[in-house]
Amino acid sequence: MPTGPALLTDRYELTMLAAALADGTADRDCVFEVFARRLPHGRRYGVVAGTGRLLEQLPRFRFTDDDLAALREQGLTDARLLDWLAGFSFNGDVDGYAEGDFFFPGSPVLTVRASFAEGVLLETLILSVLNHDSAIASAAARMVAAACERPCIEMGSRRTHEQAAVAAARAAHLVGFGTTSNLEAGHRYGVPTAGTSAHAFTLLHDDEAAAFRAQVATLGVGTTLLVDTYDVERGIRTAVEVAGPDLGAIRLDSGDLPTLATRARQLLDELGATRTKIIVTSDLDEFAISGLMAAPVDGYGVGTSLVTGSGAPTAGMVYKLVERDGVPVAKRSEGKNSVGGRKHAVRRHDASGTATAEVVSSRPIAPQDGDRQLVVELVRGGQLCDDAPPRAALAAARAHHQRARAAMPDEAWALSRGECAIETVHD
Amino acid sequence: MPTGPALLTDRYELTMLAAALADGTADRDCVFEVFARRLPHGRRYGVVAGTGRLLEQLPRFRFTDDDLAALREQGLTDARLLDWLAGFSFNGDVDGYAEGDFFFPGSPVLTVRASFAEGVLLETLILSVLNHDSAIASAAARMVAAACERPCIEMGSRRTHEQAAVAAARAAHLVGFGTTSNLEAGHRYGVPTAGTSAHAFTLLHDDEAAAFRAQVATLGVGTTLLVDTYDVERGIRTAVEVAGPDLGAIRLDSGDLPTLATRARQLLDELGATRTKIIVTSDLDEFAISGLMAAPVDGYGVGTSLVTGSGAPTAGMVYKLVERDGVPVAKRSEGKNSVGGRKHAVRRHDASGTATAEVVSSRPIAPQDGDRQLVVELVRGGQLCDDAPPRAALAAARAHHQRARAAMPDEAWALSRGECAIETVHD
């Protein structure tokens, strides 16, 4: 396994760097901007996530002797390039939206000011981290909204790359998921972990009662018993017989969940287990969660749709050179026009504190009452402005998301396809 | 960053283990099977990928003192559990489809025979790796088929998690992509890397000609010049003026590609650059590739749709307990029935060598002419049966895929939604 992130990079960043070092343009002052041209079809908002993970990795973005040997083996043998890389550490500035904030088309989510050489090297890693984590956070935020105040449990590790799973658990917690199944996310980021048992545990035993007894003996009556291995009604009766009326919860993982949950609630109440909760899982997404709002459900476990961004597995952010030696630049060929120049951004709010517009401009924006500056300093001269450890950074981002969320208009929470919750105004 | 994969695990694997250790069922002989209940909507086949990456990680799946401390911190304090984990290394057997082979609904892609304790611990990692890598390989195989013999370049690193990007590049190469942009995939797995320049490189320079001169000076006339930063026709003329008629290739990254490629070919030929190739990129998927079949295109660069599985970002494989102490077991509640018992599997072929059926049975399958045994030995008593290094393992899987591919019926290569290319027969 690699020790640093330097090779998690597209080859063309290095061929461009080699050519720019040769013709003297590598030192030109550049501004690169990360933004999304559009949101996934019909989404009302996006959520910025990954910034903390990116800043964790930035100080380790160095080319070791092993890395340089790997480049040579791949034919990247230009001596000037390799010398430069051997001495590289990032010395530029990075500004960006606070992690957990919302973004809209054209929001300048991250801005890198550095020499071309330093800025171009970071492109791939920056986009990988932000595109993945923001996609997950954006989908997760819709699920949290659909669940209203009911708790959401992230349990999608098995449906995505084993390291992406850790980042997904982090992104879900950032926007309000209470817990994750992923132990590494618990360790690295302090996300509370949850989990009790699977069907295999019941099948391991001679019968369901034996499995439930074993689980309760070790995990206590507050545990969650999975009651749908054989027959749900019998499973619930057995669960209450074994654990008593103080059983913490039952879990339903198959079948028509609204119907099953309603019947389960009735049966639990009949059996005196009136405080036993009902947790549902089984291919939930924000629409299924919403469809269970009237059902007596106490928590949602979400897997596949969470870690795959619920139909939008990448956030579509790009990293564009917008300024060179103080001059705005932009690609001009058809279909992908960009606005040149370094950006300012504020979120405008009405008198009640509700967001009304995302104002983005290449000039300083005349302040109005209720404006919130969206761009914060992240890195100065290669040094992190806030070197909070990973757990504290995530906690801060989670709190920031809650504040930003409280100011969003109600239209944001509609699950149907529609317009962005607020308009991006290019001032 | 973690040093081993042990915490890339769902918490419930450990709570089940704790309860099974307490009641004595942890030592029961178990068979766990990985299979997909169905393929993504309308897909004709899936491709098994990730087996090699899984086997790389298996010997490192141990609980270090740091891992155990992390578990304690998360409330997993059961002394019997922690003692057992401290001494754990996998001692069971693993069989499975050779990496690169095709799979269909019910194909027993991987089988783990071990104590319940050992088998349950591996569930999350096995599914994470196989679900991710197989999803990418399955989508990539459709793109390779759509491209016929034209080369495909994997360039999606920036659209997925930074470590998933390495696995995606590996999975794409496995099924026939020629090259990747990802330097770490080149280093770790020997996948040939490719890449030349982006729009930022043109924008860095005072004009397009200066950018092209710089690139050609460093990378040679065989390089690929990106000609659509300003105006494609002018870009092509400038490219040939700078590089001469031996220019390796031009790249088109925007606009209506069939039209642009046709015009570009005409112009290149007029300018005498008759051997200069045309590479197209810009949100390609298997359908767009297919739509360019009549256009004069020499190679496809594929990003977003590749690393997101082209609409199916996870393979939907599950890990089920199918046998306990020699007795078949299966969940029986509605909606998710499974077939119990350890499986045998052969691919049946007709006299011409074309695959006709996937035969899966819990009994040994009576051999017929043209049958190929699909299940191979991967791990015996915790030891890898083939300890080929990662690059050799990938090369072997790539060759195996080509052989399996040659035997598939023509219907497999249809991109439209339809039935599986061959039927799964439960014998």
Side-chain angles (χ1 to χ4, degrees), chain A residues 139-219:
Chain A
R142 287 162 57 84
M143 295 167 188
V144 169
C148 296
E149 301 297 317
R150 292 175 177 174
C152 294
I153 308 158
E154 190 283 308
M155 39 178 272
S157 294
R158 62 190 55 194
R159 304 281 179 237
T160 188
H161 184 277
E162 65 275 19
Q163 293 291 343
V166 184
R170 179 185 182 279
H173 187 62
L174 169 54
V175 298
F177 272 61
T179 50
T180 179
S181 65
N182 190 285
L183 291 166
E184 180 66 25
H187 174 47
R188 213 182 296 171
Y189 296 110
V191 182
T193 56
T196 49
S197 66
H199 297 112
F201 187 75
T202 300
L203 295 172
L204 170 68
H205 286 82
D206 297 335
D207 56 40
E208 204 171 34
F212 290 174
R213 277 194 299 271
Q215 186 176 330
V216 168
T218 297
L219 302 178

XYZ file of all heavy atoms in Angstrom, chain A residues 139-219:
585
model
N -26.409 13.185 -1.309
C -27.484 12.186 -1.255
C -27.923 11.952 0.183
O -29.126 11.866 0.485
C -27.013 10.877 -1.885
N -26.964 11.882 1.081
C -27.274 11.600 2.487
C -28.135 12.712 3.085
O -29.033 12.441 3.896
C -25.984 11.435 3.286
N -27.866 13.946 2.677
C -28.643 15.067 3.219
C -30.107 14.940 2.827
O -31.006 15.306 3.609
C -28.065 16.389 2.721
N -30.382 14.437 1.628
C -31.773 14.217 1.209
C -32.431 13.132 2.073
O -33.613 13.215 2.415
C -31.825 13.812 -0.263
C -31.524 14.965 -1.207
C -31.157 14.491 -2.611
N -32.134 13.662 -3.267
C -33.193 14.114 -3.957
N -33.403 15.422 -4.042
N -34.025 13.283 -4.553
N -31.664 12.121 2.425
C -32.212 11.044 3.260
C -32.518 11.556 4.664
O -33.557 11.224 5.243
C -31.219 9.881 3.298
C -31.036 9.250 1.919
S -29.615 8.135 1.851
C -29.577 7.815 0.067
N -31.599 12.348 5.193
C -31.815 12.921 6.532
C -33.067 13.803 6.518
O -33.891 13.743 7.438
C -30.572 13.714 6.986
C -30.870 14.531 8.234
C -29.402 12.763 7.229
N -33.220 14.576 5.450
C -34.409 15.429 5.341
C -35.671 14.571 5.262
O -36.675 14.851 5.929
C -34.299 16.333 4.115
N -35.615 13.489 4.481
C -36.785 12.624 4.322
C -37.141 11.928 5.633
O -38.306 11.643 5.898
C -36.529 11.589 3.231
N -36.128 11.646 6.443
C -36.361 10.935 7.707
C -36.862 11.863 8.798
O -37.194 11.395 9.890
C -35.075 10.251 8.157
N -36.931 13.169 8.506
C -37.267 14.153 9.538
C -36.389 13.901 10.751
O -35.199 13.865 10.636
C -38.763 14.116 9.848
S -39.738 14.597 8.408
N -36.946 13.700 11.892
C -36.085 13.573 13.067
C -35.710 12.121 13.396
O -34.989 11.876 14.352
C -36.782 14.199 14.287
C -37.113 15.672 14.112
C -35.863 16.527 13.938
O -34.884 16.301 14.676
O -35.868 17.403 13.048
N -36.206 11.192 12.587
C -35.874 9.793 12.885
C -34.407 9.499 12.540
O -33.905 9.950 11.513
C -36.784 8.865 12.088
C -38.237 8.928 12.536
C -39.124 8.088 11.632
N -40.512 8.068 12.087
C -41.498 7.507 11.398
N -41.258 6.916 10.231
N -42.729 7.516 11.874
N -33.735 8.709 13.364
C -32.303 8.476 13.131
C -32.020 7.635 11.885
O -32.771 6.712 11.549
C -31.846 7.734 14.389
C -33.041 7.446 15.204
C -34.226 8.140 14.622
N -30.922 7.969 11.213
C -30.448 7.216 10.058
C -29.116 6.557 10.404
O -28.249 7.171 11.020
C -30.245 8.143 8.861
S -31.761 8.866 8.212
N -28.990 5.310 9.983
C -27.794 4.507 10.236
C -27.129 4.226 8.888
O -27.785 3.714 7.981
C -28.177 3.162 10.902
C -29.052 3.392 12.135
C -26.934 2.345 11.212
C -29.900 2.166 12.516
N -25.858 4.542 8.761
C -25.134 4.267 7.514
C -24.590 2.849 7.567
O -23.881 2.504 8.509
C -23.996 5.292 7.345
C -23.329 5.262 5.996
C -22.373 4.116 5.817
O -21.489 3.911 6.660
O -22.520 3.385 4.807
N -24.913 2.037 6.569
C -24.473 0.641 6.594
C -24.146 0.136 5.192
O -24.401 -1.011 4.861
C -25.542 -0.237 7.246
C -26.963 0.138 6.882
S -28.189 -0.947 7.628
C -28.263 -2.206 6.352
N -23.528 1.006 4.392
C -23.269 0.660 2.990
C -21.856 0.197 2.681
O -21.519 0.034 1.505
N -21.042 -0.034 3.686
C -19.630 -0.349 3.419
C -19.458 -1.457 2.384
O -18.579 -1.388 1.526
C -18.927 -0.775 4.714
O -18.846 0.289 5.619
N -20.274 -2.470 2.457
C -20.095 -3.630 1.586
C -20.473 -3.369 0.138
O -20.320 -4.240 -0.705
C -20.935 -4.787 2.116
C -22.431 -4.480 2.117
C -23.206 -5.525 2.847
N -22.691 -5.683 4.195
C -22.999 -6.705 4.991
N -23.806 -7.642 4.553
N -22.491 -6.777 6.200
N -21.033 -2.214 -0.144
C -21.468 -1.917 -1.508
C -20.549 -0.936 -2.220
O -20.873 -0.450 -3.297
C -22.876 -1.319 -1.498
C -23.888 -2.182 -0.816
C -24.362 -3.317 -1.700
N -25.316 -4.139 -0.978
C -25.156 -5.457 -0.785
N -24.121 -6.100 -1.296
N -26.054 -6.130 -0.112
N -19.418 -0.605 -1.602
C -18.502 0.327 -2.256
C -17.073 -0.063 -1.914
O -16.844 -0.913 -1.049
C -18.808 1.783 -1.825
O -18.031 2.683 -2.614
C -18.501 2.012 -0.341
N -16.123 0.513 -2.608
C -14.706 0.247 -2.357
C -14.403 0.378 -0.864
O -14.915 1.276 -0.198
C -13.875 1.233 -3.163
C -12.407 1.012 -3.058
N -11.658 1.494 -2.009
C -11.544 0.362 -3.856
C -10.400 1.157 -2.176
N -10.299 0.463 -3.292
N -13.559 -0.477 -0.359
C -13.351 -0.580 1.091
C -12.830 0.717 1.715
O -13.118 0.996 2.886
C -12.421 -1.755 1.404
C -10.978 -1.648 0.908
C -10.767 -2.104 -0.532
O -11.750 -2.179 -1.306
O -9.604 -2.366 -0.897
N -12.081 1.511 0.988
C -11.643 2.803 1.536
C -12.694 3.886 1.275
O -12.887 4.783 2.095
C -10.290 3.223 0.942
C -9.123 2.338 1.341
C -8.749 2.458 2.813
O -9.126 3.393 3.498
N -8.008 1.466 3.305
N -13.368 3.821 0.145
C -14.467 4.748 -0.110
C -15.539 4.597 0.974
O -16.210 5.572 1.337
C -15.074 4.489 -1.491
N -15.668 3.398 1.500
C -16.661 3.142 2.548
C -16.409 4.009 3.779
O -17.355 4.498 4.411
C -16.637 1.658 2.933
N -15.152 4.186 4.120
C -14.809 4.995 5.290
C -15.184 6.457 5.031
O -15.771 7.134 5.885
C -13.310 4.859 5.626
C -12.978 5.625 6.906
C -12.902 3.393 5.733
N -14.850 6.918 3.833
C -15.186 8.298 3.463
C -16.702 8.487 3.382
O -17.224 9.556 3.740
C -14.532 8.648 2.127
N -17.402 7.474 2.923
C -18.864 7.574 2.819
C -19.498 7.664 4.204
O -20.430 8.447 4.424
C -19.423 6.380 2.050
N -18.992 6.868 5.126
C -19.514 6.915 6.500
C -19.278 8.303 7.101
O -20.143 8.861 7.785
C -18.835 5.849 7.352
N -18.106 8.863 6.813
C -17.770 10.208 7.292
C -18.725 11.240 6.681
O -19.263 12.111 7.387
C -16.322 10.523 6.912
C -15.839 11.896 7.332
C -14.427 12.140 6.776
N -13.921 13.428 7.202
C -14.231 14.597 6.631
N -15.074 14.627 5.602
N -13.718 15.708 7.082
N -18.949 11.148 5.370
C -19.797 12.123 4.675
C -21.239 12.038 5.169
O -21.934 13.057 5.287
C -19.729 11.897 3.170
N -21.703 10.837 5.453
C -23.077 10.665 5.933
C -23.239 11.272 7.326
O -24.231 11.957 7.610
C -23.447 9.178 5.952
N -22.248 11.034 8.171
C -22.320 11.599 9.529
C -22.288 13.121 9.478
O -23.000 13.798 10.230
C -21.155 11.066 10.354
C -21.225 11.435 11.800
N -22.248 11.028 12.621
C -20.403 12.184 12.577
C -22.054 11.504 13.845
N -20.939 12.214 13.844
N -21.484 13.631 8.583
C -21.361 15.080 8.400
C -22.720 15.761 8.219
O -22.953 16.856 8.735
C -20.456 15.301 7.178
C -20.287 16.651 6.528
C -19.868 17.698 7.527
C -19.235 16.549 5.426
N -23.626 15.129 7.501
C -24.917 15.770 7.213
C -26.047 15.270 8.112
O -27.206 15.609 7.873
C -25.320 15.605 5.731
C -24.293 16.285 4.839
C -25.496 14.135 5.358
N -25.727 14.454 9.116
C -26.763 14.139 10.074
C -27.064 12.681 10.332
O -27.886 12.378 11.200
N -26.462 11.755 9.578
C -26.604 10.346 9.967
C -26.019 10.192 11.375
O -24.955 10.731 11.677
C -25.854 9.433 8.986
C -26.681 9.004 7.803
C -27.192 9.930 6.923
C -26.949 7.661 7.572
C -27.969 9.535 5.833
C -27.721 7.249 6.496
C -28.232 8.190 5.632
N -26.721 9.424 12.209
C -26.275 9.314 13.589
C -25.124 8.350 13.775
O -24.217 8.604 14.564
N -25.181 7.238 13.049
C -24.219 6.163 13.278
C -23.820 5.532 11.950
O -24.447 5.761 10.913
C -24.841 5.059 14.167
O -26.113 4.707 13.621
C -25.017 5.528 15.601
N -22.760 4.721 12.017
C -22.311 3.959 10.851
C -21.991 2.549 11.295
O -21.703 2.310 12.478
C -21.057 4.588 10.225
O -20.645 3.782 9.107
C -19.877 4.618 11.210
N -22.008 1.619 10.356
C -21.542 0.256 10.632
C -20.022 0.151 10.553
O -19.445 -0.834 10.999
C -22.149 -0.709 9.600
O -21.649 -0.407 8.302
N -19.357 1.155 9.996
C -17.941 1.028 9.605
C -16.996 1.318 10.770
O -16.887 2.461 11.232
C -17.667 1.982 8.438
C -16.309 1.765 7.812
O -15.306 2.147 8.387
N -16.285 1.138 6.648
N -16.281 0.297 11.212
C -15.430 0.445 12.397
C -14.277 1.414 12.161
O -13.870 2.138 13.070
C -14.887 -0.925 12.810
C -15.943 -1.880 13.377
C -15.399 -3.309 13.436
C -16.392 -1.425 14.759
N -13.733 1.429 10.960
C -12.621 2.340 10.676
C -13.081 3.796 10.732
O -12.342 4.673 11.182
C -12.015 2.020 9.306
C -10.854 2.903 8.900
C -9.610 2.749 9.773
O -9.428 1.684 10.384
O -8.825 3.707 9.843
N -14.298 4.060 10.285
C -14.829 5.428 10.390
C -15.007 5.818 11.851
O -14.820 6.984 12.221
C -16.160 5.539 9.646
N -15.346 4.844 12.684
C -15.414 5.110 14.106
C -14.046 5.458 14.665
O -13.886 6.402 15.442
N -13.060 4.705 14.243
C -11.697 4.894 14.740
C -11.094 6.202 14.229
O -10.588 7.023 14.995
C -10.864 3.703 14.279
C -9.406 3.808 14.595
N -8.930 4.181 15.831
C -8.318 3.573 13.831
C -7.610 4.172 15.818
N -7.219 3.818 14.618
N -11.166 6.407 12.927
C -10.455 7.539 12.328
C -11.169 8.863 12.586
O -10.535 9.884 12.804
C -10.307 7.303 10.820
C -9.036 7.871 10.254
C -8.940 7.664 8.730
N -8.878 6.274 8.307
C -8.965 5.875 7.033
N -9.135 6.781 6.060
N -8.904 4.599 6.713
N -12.513 8.827 12.523
C -13.273 10.085 12.552
C -14.211 10.205 13.751
O -14.936 11.195 13.864
C -14.062 10.243 11.252
C -13.151 10.357 10.064
C -13.060 9.341 9.121
C -12.333 11.481 9.912
C -12.187 9.445 8.042
C -11.458 11.584 8.841
C -11.393 10.568 7.921
O -10.521 10.663 6.866
N -14.224 9.196 14.605
C -15.085 9.282 15.772
C -16.564 9.177 15.464
O -17.404 9.574 16.289
N -16.920 8.649 14.315
C -18.344 8.439 14.020
C -18.848 7.297 14.901
O -18.235 6.230 14.923
C -18.553 8.089 12.523
C -20.039 7.936 12.228
C -17.918 9.129 11.622
N -19.935 7.496 15.628
C -20.458 6.400 16.455
C -20.807 5.190 15.582
O -21.407 5.351 14.510
C -21.723 6.998 17.086
C -21.533 8.489 17.015
C -20.742 8.735 15.775
N -20.417 4.003 16.033
C -20.685 2.803 15.238
C -21.836 2.014 15.839
O -22.064 2.048 17.042
C -19.439 1.912 15.126
O -18.964 1.589 16.440
C -18.343 2.624 14.355
N -22.546 1.309 14.966
C -23.709 0.535 15.393
C -23.752 -0.771 14.614
O -23.189 -0.883 13.526
C -24.994 1.334 15.140
N -24.448 -1.741 15.185
C -24.611 -3.016 14.496
C -24.819 -4.113 15.506
O -24.267 -4.061 16.605
N -25.628 -5.103 15.150
C -25.912 -6.170 16.091
C -25.773 -7.547 15.444
O -24.860 -8.291 15.769
C -27.313 -5.986 16.701
O -28.251 -5.753 15.655
C -27.329 -4.814 17.666
N -26.631 -7.869 14.459
C -26.534 -9.204 13.869
C -27.190 -9.266 12.504
O -27.974 -8.397 12.126
C -27.184 -10.244 14.792
O -28.566 -9.997 14.876
N -26.845 -10.328 11.775
C -27.349 -10.587 10.425
C -28.094 -11.914 10.407
O -28.088 -12.652 11.395
C -26.171 -10.637 9.452
N -28.697 -12.221 9.270
C -29.399 -13.501 9.150
C -28.474 -14.688 9.402
O -28.901 -15.724 9.912
C -30.039 -13.608 7.761
C -31.071 -12.565 7.520
N -30.900 -11.546 6.603
C -32.276 -12.346 8.103
C -31.960 -10.758 6.626
N -32.805 -11.220 7.518
N -27.209 -14.532 9.023
C -26.267 -15.638 9.212
C -26.210 -16.077 10.678
O -26.030 -17.263 10.969
C -24.879 -15.234 8.723
N -26.376 -15.127 11.573
C -26.292 -15.476 12.988
C -27.466 -16.352 13.411
O -27.314 -17.289 14.204
C -26.242 -14.200 13.844
C -25.987 -14.481 15.291
C -24.712 -14.843 15.725
C -27.003 -14.393 16.225
C -24.472 -15.115 17.065
C -26.767 -14.664 17.569
C -25.501 -15.030 17.989
N -28.636 -16.059 12.867
C -29.791 -16.913 13.157
C -29.602 -18.289 12.525
O -29.841 -19.322 13.156
C -31.077 -16.242 12.631
O -31.225 -14.976 13.277
C -32.300 -17.095 12.909
N -29.144 -18.295 11.269
C -28.964 -19.569 10.562
C -27.877 -20.428 11.200
O -27.883 -21.649 11.067
C -28.626 -19.302 9.096
C -29.730 -18.627 8.277
C -29.202 -18.245 6.891
C -30.956 -19.532 8.162
N -26.943 -19.787 11.861
C -25.873 -20.525 12.545
C -26.428 -21.397 13.669
O -25.860 -22.441 13.993
C -24.879 -19.510 13.130
C -23.810 -20.034 14.094
C -22.816 -20.929 13.348
C -23.072 -18.877 14.773
N -27.512 -20.930 14.250
C -28.052 -21.608 15.428
C -29.103 -22.654 15.056
O -29.625 -22.663 13.946
C -28.638 -20.567 16.393
C -27.575 -19.800 17.112
N -26.933 -18.721 16.545
C -26.999 -19.982 18.332
C -26.016 -18.251 17.392
N -26.042 -19.005 18.470
N -29.409 -23.509 16.017
C -30.349 -24.586 15.744
C -31.747 -24.046 15.508
O -32.530 -24.632 14.760
C -30.352 -25.576 16.910
C -28.981 -26.232 17.066
O -28.237 -26.295 16.054
O -28.647 -26.646 18.181
N -32.085 -22.961 16.156
C -33.359 -22.308 15.875
C -33.251 -20.832 16.252
O -32.242 -20.385 16.822
C -34.520 -22.992 16.593
C -34.299 -23.061 18.096
O -33.800 -22.077 18.683
O -34.616 -24.113 18.686
N -34.286 -20.094 15.914
C -34.275 -18.650 16.108
C -34.149 -18.289 17.593
O -33.432 -17.342 17.962
C -35.580 -18.080 15.531
C -35.517 -16.631 15.137
C -36.773 -16.205 14.374
O -37.873 -16.725 14.685
O -36.655 -15.358 13.466
N -34.832 -19.048 18.438
C -34.795 -18.734 19.865
C -33.375 -18.857 20.409
O -32.928 -18.036 21.225
C -35.745 -19.655 20.636
N -32.659 -19.867 19.944
C -31.280 -20.051 20.415
C -30.409 -18.867 19.977
O -29.557 -18.382 20.735
C -30.714 -21.356 19.863
N -30.625 -18.410 18.759
C -29.858 -17.253 18.268
C -30.175 -16.014 19.092
O -29.271 -15.267 19.498
C -30.171 -17.011 16.792
N -31.444 -15.793 19.343
C -31.836 -14.603 20.111
C -31.284 -14.670 21.539
O -30.818 -13.680 22.091
C -33.363 -14.454 20.138
C -33.977 -14.069 18.809
C -35.361 -14.022 18.660
C -33.193 -13.740 17.703
C -35.949 -13.661 17.456
C -33.776 -13.379 16.487
C -35.153 -13.348 16.359
N -31.350 -15.870 22.126
C -30.807 -16.014 23.487
C -29.317 -15.680 23.516
O -28.842 -14.987 24.411
C -31.036 -17.444 23.998
C -32.420 -17.682 24.575
C -32.489 -18.993 25.377
N -32.188 -20.170 24.569
C -33.102 -20.865 23.885
N -34.381 -20.501 23.902
N -32.740 -21.917 23.188
N -28.608 -16.173 22.518
C -27.163 -15.914 22.469
C -26.886 -14.421 22.329
O -25.993 -13.859 22.975
C -26.537 -16.674 21.297
N -27.662 -13.776 21.473
C -27.431 -12.344 21.257
C -27.751 -11.533 22.509
O -26.976 -10.653 22.910
C -28.262 -11.851 20.064
C -27.953 -10.403 19.700
C -28.687 -9.933 18.458
O -28.975 -10.731 17.562
N -28.981 -8.646 18.398
N -28.875 -11.842 23.120
C -29.266 -11.099 24.319
C -28.292 -11.359 25.461
O -27.945 -10.438 26.223
C -30.718 -11.465 24.720
C -31.055 -10.935 26.113
C -31.695 -10.913 23.681
N -27.800 -12.589 25.546
C -26.856 -12.916 26.622
C -25.599 -12.055 26.517
O -25.039 -11.613 27.521
C -26.489 -14.393 26.571
N -25.154 -11.797 25.305
C -23.914 -11.042 25.132
C -24.144 -9.550 24.974
O -23.375 -8.743 25.494
C -23.142 -11.586 23.907
O -22.795 -12.949 24.174
C -21.867 -10.792 23.660
N -25.195 -9.159 24.274
C -25.386 -7.739 23.967
C -26.440 -7.074 24.847
O -26.627 -5.868 24.769
C -25.734 -7.564 22.487
C -24.697 -8.121 21.500
C -25.176 -7.944 20.064
C -23.338 -7.462 21.668
